[in-house]
Amino acid sequence: VALSLGTTSTTRSSLIIPQNYLTSNDNYTITLRVFYTNFPSQFSTSSVDLFIEPAMPVIILRDTNRAFRRSFSLQLDASQSYYPINLAQNLDSTHLQFRWTCMNCPSSVNGLMLNTSVIMFPSNTFSVGQFDWLLEVSYNHLTSNLLCYIVAVDGSPPIASIQALPNNYVNPSSKLVLYGAGYTDDATAVLMYNWTIVQQPLPSLDMERDNICVSGPYHPE
C-alpha cells in the first residue's frame, strides 16, 4: 500500500513508497506495527532506519563510442543530461554545470573546449587515433562522471578498439563479454575480427585499479 507520511493501518503487509517521495539527504525511520484487529493492544513492532542518498545528475551523451572522419567537424552533445529531482518537478536542466576533459588530446584540442553541454570541433582538428574523454556533470556539489571515446579515421588500415571494462578483475564463474569494433571511412569495406587470448603473469597485489567506469554496454553496428 502507498502511504502518506505518518501512520496508516492496512490489512496488507507491503509498503510502496513513490519515487522522489522521500527527500535527499534526510533520515527516516519506518516502523511496522502488527496487531490483531480484535485485540489491538496485542502487537509487536519492527523498525528500519533509512538515509536517502542525494540524487545524482544523469549524463546522456549522444553519438560517442564511434569513429568519425577527421576531415569532418565533430560535435559532442550532452544537452539531454538532467537532474532527476528537477525532471520529476518538470524543471529544465539549464542549471547543470559541464566539464569536458580529453585524457590524451594535445593541448591545442583542450584549448578549444568550453564548459557547455555541447562542444564543437572544426574539421581536421584531430589526428588519426582514439581519443578518450571524461565528462563531469554537476548540480551544486553533486557530480556524475562518464568516460567515453571517439576514433578519428583517415582511411585504411582500419582502427581496432575494445570497449573499456569497469575493472580488470573478473570472477571465473561469470560470463565475460568483450565488445570490439573496427573503424574505417570506407563504407564498402568488409572487416574481419581476430581475437587472441594470451595468459600473462599474475599482477602484483599492490597494482593500482582503474575506478573510472564506462556507462552502459556498447553494441557496434
Side-chain angles (χ1 to χ4, degrees), residues 26-41:
D26 277 337
N27 291 295
Y28 294 86
T29 298
I30 299 178
T31 302
L32 171 64
R33 175 175 172 143
V34 180
F35 57 91
Y36 298 109
T37 56
N38 294 333
F39 301 98
S41 60

Side-chain angles (χ1 to χ4, degrees), residues 88-108:
Q89 298 173 355
N90 295 320
L91 300 177
D92 62 35
S93 294
T94 56
H95 51 277
L96 294 177
Q97 291 83 48
F98 296 83
R99 176 172 175 160
W100 301 84
T101 303
C102 182
M103 315 296 286
N104 55 343
C105 291
S107 58
S108 58

Side-chain angles (χ1 to χ4, degrees), residues 140-153:
N140 292 335
H141 62 285
L142 304 173
T143 301
S144 296
N145 302 315
L146 178 64
L147 183 66
C148 65
Y149 66 87
I150 54 97
V151 179
V153 297

Side-chain angles (χ1 to χ4, degrees), residues 70 76 86 97 113 182 197 201 215:
R70 73 183 195 92
L76 299 179
N86 289 344
Q97 291 83 48
M113 290 190 295
I197 300 176
S215 177

Side-chain angles (χ1 to χ4, degrees), residues 57-58 78 81-83 86 93-98 115 137-139:
V58 176
S81 303
Y82 62 90
Y83 182 62
N86 289 344
S93 294
T94 56
H95 51 277
L96 294 177
Q97 291 83 48
F98 296 83
N115 291 325
V137 177
S138 302
Y139 175 78

Side-chain angles (χ1 to χ4, degrees), residues 70-201:
R70 73 183 195 92
S71 59
F72 294 169
S73 61
L74 173 68
Q75 174 178 286
L76 299 179
D77 185 354
S79 61
Q80 295 185 13
S81 303
Y82 62 90
Y83 182 62
I85 301 300
N86 289 344
L87 182 67
Q89 298 173 355
N90 295 320
L91 300 177
D92 62 35
S93 294
T94 56
H95 51 277
L96 294 177
Q97 291 83 48
F98 296 83
R99 176 172 175 160
W100 301 84
T101 303
C102 182
M103 315 296 286
N104 55 343
C105 291
S107 58
S108 58
V109 173
N110 283 311
L112 296 174
M113 290 190 295
L114 300 175
N115 291 325
T116 58
S117 61
V118 180
I119 56 176
M120 292 283 298
F121 297 95
S123 60
N124 296 313
T125 298
F126 298 89
S127 59
V128 173
Q130 176 172 317
F131 299 91
D132 301 313
W133 300 79
L134 175 64
L135 171 59
E136 300 169 271
V137 177
S138 302
Y139 175 78
N140 292 335
H141 62 285
L142 304 173
T143 301
S144 296
N145 302 315
L146 178 64
L147 183 66
C148 65
Y149 66 87
I150 54 97
V151 179
V153 297
D154 199 20
S156 59
I159 297 174
S161 179
I162 301 176
Q163 179 192 3
L165 296 173
N167 56 63
N168 294 329
Y169 294 81
V170 179
N171 190 315
S173 63
S174 300
K175 179 181 178 181
L176 175 62
V177 179
L178 295 177
Y179 295 104
Y183 300 105
T184 176
D185 60 356
D186 184 354
T188 64
V190 178
L191 301 179
M192 300 293 294
Y193 301 89
N194 182 15
W195 293 87
T196 302
I197 300 176
V198 178
Q199 186 174 8
Q200 301 289 349

